[in-house]
Amino acid sequence: IDMQIGISPFSDNIISNLGPIELANIPETSTPQFKFIDIFPQAENFDGNNMPIPGFTLPTLYNDFTFEDFEQAEFKSGALTLTIDNQLPISLDEIAVSLIRKSNNLLIKSVLFESSIPSKETRSAIMDLSSTTLYSEIIVQVDGRSDGGDNIPIDLANNYFTVNIGADALVV
Protein backbone atom coordinates (compact mmCIF):
# COMPACT_ATOMS: atom_id res chain seq x y z
CA ILE A 1 0.00 0.00 0.00
CA ASP A 2 1.47 3.22 -1.10
CA MET A 3 -0.01 6.24 0.67
CA GLN A 4 1.11 9.76 0.55
CA ILE A 5 0.19 11.94 3.39
CA GLY A 6 0.49 15.61 2.70
CA ILE A 7 0.32 18.39 5.14
CA SER A 8 0.04 21.86 3.77
CA PRO A 9 2.43 24.36 5.25
CA PHE A 10 0.87 26.74 7.71
CA SER A 11 1.90 29.62 9.88
CA ASP A 12 0.25 30.96 12.98
CA ASN A 13 1.25 34.47 13.93
CA ILE A 14 -0.01 36.15 16.98
CA ILE A 15 -0.13 39.86 16.50
CA SER A 16 -0.82 41.97 19.50
CA ASN A 17 -0.93 45.71 19.54
CA LEU A 18 -1.18 47.36 22.88
CA GLY A 19 -2.88 50.68 22.95
CA PRO A 20 -1.67 53.60 24.99
CA ILE A 21 -0.49 52.66 28.47
CA GLU A 22 -0.93 55.08 31.35
CA LEU A 23 1.94 55.09 33.80
CA ALA A 24 1.83 55.97 37.46
CA ASN A 25 2.96 59.46 38.38
CA ILE A 26 6.66 59.80 39.14
CA PRO A 27 7.18 61.46 42.53
CA GLU A 28 9.43 64.51 42.67
CA THR A 29 13.11 63.65 43.04
CA SER A 30 16.00 66.09 43.44
CA THR A 31 19.18 66.30 41.44
CA PRO A 32 22.39 66.48 43.44
CA GLN A 33 23.04 70.00 44.67
CA PHE A 34 24.42 72.66 42.36
CA LYS A 35 26.81 74.35 44.82
CA PHE A 36 27.40 78.11 45.03
CA ILE A 37 31.18 77.59 45.10
CA ASP A 38 30.90 76.00 41.62
CA ILE A 39 28.76 78.88 40.35
CA PHE A 40 30.73 81.76 41.89
CA PRO A 41 34.22 80.56 42.99
CA GLN A 42 35.17 84.07 44.21
CA ALA A 43 32.91 83.47 47.24
CA GLU A 44 35.40 80.97 48.71
CA ASN A 45 37.33 83.70 50.55
CA PHE A 46 34.14 85.22 52.00
CA ASP A 47 32.59 82.13 53.66
CA GLY A 48 30.82 83.30 56.81
CA ASN A 49 30.95 86.95 55.71
CA ASN A 50 29.07 89.28 53.38
CA MET A 51 30.24 90.38 49.95
CA PRO A 52 28.96 92.32 46.96
CA ILE A 53 28.22 90.14 43.94
CA PRO A 54 27.94 91.85 40.56
CA GLY A 55 25.48 90.47 38.01
CA PHE A 56 27.02 87.55 36.12
CA THR A 57 26.33 84.70 33.72
CA LEU A 58 26.33 81.30 35.39
CA PRO A 59 28.79 78.78 34.03
CA THR A 60 26.97 75.90 32.36
CA LEU A 61 26.22 73.44 35.17
CA TYR A 62 25.71 69.67 34.89
CA ASN A 63 24.39 66.96 37.21
CA ASP A 64 23.53 63.33 36.54
CA PHE A 65 19.97 62.14 37.15
CA THR A 66 18.40 58.67 36.93
CA PHE A 67 14.76 57.73 36.44
CA GLU A 68 14.30 54.50 38.39
CA ASP A 69 10.92 53.60 36.82
CA PHE A 70 12.06 52.88 33.25
CA GLU A 71 15.10 52.37 31.07
CA GLN A 72 13.66 54.09 28.02
CA ALA A 73 10.16 55.33 27.31
CA GLU A 74 8.58 56.95 24.27
CA PHE A 75 5.84 59.21 25.53
CA LYS A 76 2.60 59.81 23.69
CA SER A 77 1.70 62.48 26.24
CA GLY A 78 2.46 63.64 29.73
CA ALA A 79 4.60 66.24 31.40
CA LEU A 80 7.61 66.65 33.62
CA THR A 81 7.40 69.26 36.32
CA LEU A 82 10.81 70.80 36.91
CA THR A 83 11.07 72.77 40.15
CA ILE A 84 14.11 74.80 41.08
CA ASP A 85 14.65 75.05 44.83
CA ASN A 86 16.95 78.07 45.16
CA GLN A 87 18.87 77.95 48.44
CA LEU A 88 21.47 80.38 47.09
CA PRO A 89 21.89 83.87 48.59
CA ILE A 90 21.19 85.36 45.12
CA SER A 91 18.38 85.17 42.57
CA LEU A 92 18.53 82.93 39.53
CA ASP A 93 17.43 84.62 36.32
CA GLU A 94 16.69 83.48 32.76
CA ILE A 95 17.26 79.86 33.76
CA ALA A 96 17.10 77.17 31.08
CA VAL A 97 17.10 73.51 32.07
CA SER A 98 18.00 70.96 29.40
CA LEU A 99 17.76 67.18 29.65
CA ILE A 100 20.52 65.36 27.80
CA ARG A 101 20.85 61.65 27.09
CA LYS A 102 23.87 60.54 29.10
CA SER A 103 25.04 57.78 26.75
CA ASN A 104 25.59 60.06 23.74
CA ASN A 105 25.13 63.66 24.99
CA LEU A 106 22.17 64.31 22.67
CA LEU A 107 19.64 66.95 23.72
CA ILE A 108 16.26 65.48 24.68
CA LYS A 109 14.37 68.68 25.51
CA SER A 110 14.74 72.08 27.22
CA VAL A 111 12.52 74.38 29.22
CA LEU A 112 12.93 78.05 30.13
CA PHE A 113 11.92 79.43 33.52
CA GLU A 114 10.04 82.59 32.61
CA SER A 115 10.43 84.44 35.90
CA SER A 116 13.28 85.11 38.30
CA ILE A 117 13.78 82.64 41.15
CA PRO A 118 14.53 84.70 44.29
CA SER A 119 16.81 83.45 47.05
CA LYS A 120 15.15 80.83 49.30
CA GLU A 121 12.19 80.35 46.92
CA THR A 122 11.05 77.77 44.38
CA ARG A 123 9.67 78.09 40.86
CA SER A 124 8.33 75.42 38.51
CA ALA A 125 8.18 74.94 34.76
CA ILE A 126 6.36 72.27 32.76
CA MET A 127 8.12 70.22 30.09
CA ASP A 128 5.67 68.63 27.62
CA LEU A 129 6.71 65.03 26.86
CA SER A 130 4.44 64.50 23.84
CA SER A 131 6.36 62.57 21.17
CA THR A 132 9.48 62.55 23.36
CA THR A 133 11.75 59.63 24.18
CA LEU A 134 13.14 59.82 27.68
CA TYR A 135 15.99 57.68 28.95
CA SER A 136 16.66 56.51 32.49
CA GLU A 137 20.15 58.03 32.68
CA ILE A 138 20.23 61.69 31.79
CA ILE A 139 22.26 64.80 32.43
CA VAL A 140 20.48 67.87 33.78
CA GLN A 141 22.10 70.98 32.31
CA VAL A 142 21.42 74.44 33.75
CA ASP A 143 22.23 77.76 32.08
CA GLY A 144 21.29 81.27 33.12
CA ARG A 145 22.44 84.33 34.99
CA SER A 146 22.05 86.20 38.27
CA ASP A 147 21.58 89.87 39.07
CA GLY A 148 23.83 89.42 42.14
CA GLY A 149 23.42 92.04 44.86
CA ASP A 150 25.06 94.09 47.60
CA ASN A 151 26.05 92.75 51.00
CA ILE A 152 25.25 89.10 50.17
CA PRO A 153 25.76 86.68 53.11
CA ILE A 154 27.94 83.71 52.15
CA ASP A 155 27.43 80.28 53.79
CA LEU A 156 29.05 77.83 51.39
CA ALA A 157 27.83 74.75 53.29
CA ASN A 158 24.22 75.81 52.77
CA ASN A 159 24.33 77.79 49.50
CA TYR A 160 23.05 75.62 46.64
CA PHE A 161 20.09 74.94 44.41
CA THR A 162 18.50 71.73 43.13
CA VAL A 163 16.30 70.84 40.20
CA ASN A 164 13.45 68.62 41.39
CA ILE A 165 11.88 66.42 38.72
CA GLY A 166 8.44 64.81 38.88
CA ALA A 167 5.97 63.64 36.26
CA ASP A 168 2.25 63.10 35.84
CA ALA A 169 -0.36 62.08 33.26
CA LEU A 170 2.21 59.89 31.50
CA VAL A 171 1.08 57.84 28.52
CA VAL A 172 3.44 55.63 26.51
Side-chain angles (χ1 to χ4, degrees):
I1 298 177
D2 188 9
M3 291 181 27
Q4 290 187 350
I5 300 176
I7 299 177
S8 301
F10 66 91
S11 173
D12 283 335
N13 289 325
I14 298 175
I15 298 174
S16 176
N17 289 323
L18 294 175
I21 299 172
E22 293 183 27
L23 301 179
N25 292 346
I26 297 174
E28 192 173 90
T29 304
S30 294
T31 62
Q33 295 176 351
F34 292 93
K35 302 243 181 215
F36 189 49
I37 192 71
D38 297 327
I39 297 167
F40 196 77
Q42 302 90 315
E44 183 175 25
N45 297 328
F46 291 89
D47 194 17
N49 296 303
N50 293 356
M51 73 178 287
I53 297 177
F56 67 100
T57 298
L58 277 65
T60 299
L61 302 165
Y62 304 94
N63 260 328
D64 290 344
F65 186 85
T66 302
F67 290 101
E68 301 293 338
D69 298 326
F70 57 86
E71 189 170 314
Q72 175 180 326
E74 187 173 321
F75 291 94
K76 186 174 187 78
S77 63
L80 287 182
T81 301
L82 304 174
T83 302
I84 293 182
D85 181 4
N86 184 9
Q87 295 301 311
L88 296 171
I90 56 174
S91 67
L92 294 170
D93 305 294
E94 298 175 13
I95 297 298
V97 175
S98 301
L99 304 184
I100 299 168
R101 185 177 182 185
K102 188 173 179 179
S103 66
N104 60 7
N105 291 326
L106 289 178
L107 176 66
I108 299 169
K109 215 157 203 181
S110 295
V111 68
L112 180 65
F113 284 73
E114 307 254 337
S115 61
S116 178
I117 308 163
S119 175
K120 310 299 183 212
E121 293 190 22
T122 62
R123 294 286 186 275
S124 296
I126 302 298
M127 181 181 285
D128 180 20
L129 292 178
S130 299
S131 302
T132 301
T133 300
L134 199 54
Y135 304 89
S136 65
E137 293 186 353
I138 61 171
I139 298 167
V140 177
Q141 175 183 309
V142 179
D143 293 288
R145 64 174 192 80
S146 176
D147 287 338
D150 296 323
N151 206 24
I152 303 294
I154 306 301
D155 178 8
L156 294 179
N158 296 304
N159 292 161
Y160 65 89
F161 74 91
T162 59
V163 178
N164 306 325
I165 302 173
D168 57 12
L170 300 173
V171 178
V172 294

